[in-house]
Structure formats: structure tokens, C-alpha cells
Amino acid sequence: MGTKLRLLLCALAVVVVAVAASAWALLSPVGSGDDVVVEVRPATSVSDIRRQMKGGLGFSLACRIFSFSQPRTGRYVFSASTSWLECVHMLRGHAQTPVRLVLPSVRTMADLSGFLSRHLMMDSAAVAGALSRPSLLDSLGFTAETVPALFIPNTYELWWDTTAESFLLRMRREHDAFWTEERRRLAGRQGLTPVEVATLASIVDEETANNAEKPAVAGMYLNRLRRDMLLQADPTVKFALGDFSLRRIRHGHLEVESPYNTYRVKGLPPGPIRIASTSSIDAVLHAAEHPYLYMCANADFSGTHVFAATYAEHLANARRYQQALNARGVN
């Protein structure tokens, strides 16, 4: 065999080995067990992605093949068996994986902003700014006071890089879908608008976590509203004071000047004191019919309440509860 032929065969062998190595690198999996998650932010570069994914030759070759140099924001989830070739193809094609966001019944819009910033590519300050922007809220049909009623706790599929404005528009669509003609009819039967239902439901949420007694709590407050009585709801005082840690409402607390203080201002507060749960919204829509006008936390600290139709009965229930608090040294 001549020298030239041997050199040609050696060169061919090198090419075959190189092609095989490249193919192996391109088709090798990105992981070894769990899914690989990559979050691409506006300043994230291809080099950053390579470091996140611990990508090697396969990633680099795939980037060259697809001319991938400008990543688009998003959250990408790759199964461990995904090849580097498929991976870069998905990144280049902006093939995000939706986030399943379980929207909770949080107390404040600051809590909501923090929650969203932890689960989506949102800055909490940007969310807070959107939630307090009058023009945006007005376009959605809400105000800074009523906007908690916009949100319906549920599980939603969203793009991780959705903007605060897009998120709020999506929540408006979900709100409208939730408030069906039947729910609006039930709200009207109670003499309430959907925002007012959410407002009363938020008080019910703060009063009890026991779903079974929520219709009774809602019915009691509706009775007071219909009799033009002060609601005298302790949770609204906590909201007015901005102190949700209070375990015992004292006379001094009741003097706070605030439209949310239902010990001083008749009717419902200006808006929800938290994002109302759907169980409490349904409790208001299907409130129990009974004669009760008063309720007091149960002295057994079960988290439930005792109800009364007269003030004398209520005072007796309240004394028992106060004595139970004193016995436990609760201030």
C-alpha cells in the first residue's frame, strides 16, 4: 500500500472518528436522572446556559448548527433523555414549559407580589407598581381597594416570563370566567355585587378556616348588613391596624380611624381584606339562613364559633371566651 493511500485512509479514519464523536456528543442526553430546568432571564447569555446545564461539546456543536447565540427569556424543562441537539433546538425555538401556578389566598398585595416574584420572572416591585397603577386598574375595572377581588385562587398554567400587566389581564379573564351568570344571580339574591361578595368572603376567611361553618358565618354578617348594624368584624380591625398577629382585640384597637374599621363604619369595608378563597365566596353565595346576629370564638379553641341571636346570649359566650383567654395568658 502506497504512502499516499495510507495517509488518505488515516485522514478518512480521523474524519470518521470525528464525525462519530460529534454525533455521539450531539445525541447524548442532557441529564442522568432528573429533569433539567433552565431559567433564562433578559441578561442570560449562551455561556450562562452552558454553565447552568453543564453542557460540553454537544451543546457547543448544537449551538453552531442552529446558529444559536441570542437566548429568549423563559423557563425550559428538559427530560434527562433529551439530546443536546433537541435541547438547543427547543431553546432557539422558544419552546418553553408552562408553569403550573397555584395562586393562594394571601392577605396583602405585597404578599401576592412576593409570591409571584418567587414563582415567575417578575420583580416584586414591578408587580406592586402594576397593582397600584390607577390607569391599569381602571382598565381592569378595579381600584387599589377592590383589586384583591380580581384574583380567584386556583391553579393556572402561565409562561414563566409573563409580565405583570399580562398576568393581570389573564386574571381578569379568569375572574370573568369564574363569575358565571349563575354566580352573579346568586350574588344579586344576596343583594351584593361580585366585589362585595369577595369582600365579605375575605372577612369569612379571616374568621374561620372551617369550611363547614363558613355559610353560618356569612349568614350572620348578612343578617347584620340587612339590619343596618355595624359588622363589628375583628379581622377588619387587624387589617386597619396592619397587624395580623393580634390574637386579642382590645378596646383601644377599636378606636383606629379607618374606613376598614367595621366597629366605627357601617357596611362592608372599601374592598377585600385578603384574596378570598373560593370556599368562602361560595359560602357567601349560599349563606345559611338563621336568626343569629352575633358570634364568638369557641372557648374550647377548636377554631369554630358559637352563635347567638341576642346580645345577652352573646355576652355570656364572650365571657366564657375571655375567661379561656385569661386562663391561657393570651394578651
Side-chain angles (χ1 to χ4, degrees):
M1 183 181 296
T3 301
K4 289 184 178 181
L5 181 58
R6 282 197 298 272
L7 290 174
L8 180 61
L9 290 175
C10 286
L12 182 60
V14 169
V15 170
V16 170
V17 170
V19 170
S22 297
W24 179 85
L26 286 168
L27 300 177
S28 61
V30 300
S32 57
D34 298 331
D35 290 347
V36 178
V37 180
V38 177
E39 293 179 348
V40 180
R41 297 181 180 276
T44 302
S45 66
V46 171
S47 297
D48 294 328
I49 296 174
R50 178 174 180 167
R51 282 191 291 272
Q52 280 189 58
M53 300 191 70
K54 299 178 181 178
L57 177 62
F59 179 81
S60 298
L61 287 173
C63 287
R64 291 180 183 176
I65 290 173
F66 290 114
S67 300
F68 178 57
S69 60
Q70 294 183 324
R72 297 171 67 184
T73 59
R75 183 177 184 272
Y76 305 85
V77 180
F78 307 101
S79 68
S81 61
T82 303
S83 71
W84 288 109
L85 191 67
E86 293 171 311
C87 165
V88 173
H89 182 262
M90 291 170 67
L91 286 166
R92 186 174 182 274
H94 202 217
Q96 291 191 71
T97 302
V99 173
R100 288 179 60 81
L101 185 77
V102 182
L103 189 69
S105 170
V106 294
R107 277 196 170 115
T108 68
M109 293 301 92
D111 292 336
L112 177 63
S113 298
F115 170 81
L116 293 175
S117 70
R118 291 191 296 273
H119 293 84
L120 299 171
M121 195 192 75
M122 287 188 193
D123 178 71
S124 59
V127 180
L131 287 169
S132 60
R133 193 184 310 155
S135 59
L136 176 57
L137 295 179
D138 184 62
S139 70
L140 296 169
F142 291 87
T143 65
E145 292 76 26
T146 63
V147 72
L150 168 66
F151 305 101
I152 307 298
N154 205 340
T155 300
Y156 301 103
E157 281 200 351
L158 297 160
W159 298 122
W160 180 73
D161 60 351
T162 191
T163 64
E165 291 77 7
S166 295
F167 172 75
L168 293 179
L169 289 171
R170 168 70 182 279
M171 291 300 99
R172 176 70 213 206
R173 293 194 296 273
E174 298 292 347
H175 171 277
D176 292 346
F178 175 83
W179 281 102
T180 60
E181 183 177 341
E182 173 62 9
R183 282 197 172 100
R184 290 178 183 274
R185 184 188 69 79
L186 290 171
R189 192 178 69 177
Q190 303 292 18
L192 303 173
T193 65
V195 167
E196 290 171 333
V197 170
T199 300
L200 181 52
S202 71
I203 296 174
V204 172
D205 269 323
E206 286 291 327
E207 291 284 18
T208 183
N210 187 315
N211 287 339
E213 78 165 2
K214 285 182 176 181
V217 174
M220 187 216 69
Y221 280 122
L222 285 169
N223 287 345
R224 295 181 73 91
L225 282 172
R226 288 163 184 162
R227 295 197 182 196
D228 199 30
M229 297 173 66
L230 289 165
L231 290 186
Q232 296 182 319
D234 288 358
T236 65
V237 177
K238 295 180 182 180
F239 185 88
L241 292 167
D243 187 352
F244 299 102
S245 67
L246 288 173
R247 298 180 63 190
R248 194 169 186 171
I249 301 297
R250 298 187 177 275
H251 181 74
H253 296 138
L254 305 182
E255 299 303 314
V256 61
E257 290 284 350
S258 168
Y260 287 89
N261 182 357
T262 57
Y263 276 84
R264 294 174 64 91
V265 182
K266 280 187 179 180
L268 290 166
I273 58 174
R274 67 177 300 137
I275 293 176
S277 68
T278 54
S279 62
S280 288
I281 290 174
D282 285 339
V284 174
L285 295 177
H286 301 90
E289 295 183 9
H290 55 59
Y292 303 130
L293 294 171
Y294 306 92
M295 74 177 204
C296 178
N298 203 316
D300 63 5
F301 295 98
S302 62
T304 58
H305 296 78
V306 287
F307 296 86
T310 68
Y311 189 57
E313 291 175 305
H314 174 64
L315 286 178
N317 293 333
R319 277 194 296 272
R320 280 191 288 272
Y321 182 63
Q322 295 297 332
Q323 290 167 359
L325 288 175
N326 291 336
R328 292 197 176 197
V330 176
N331 297 314

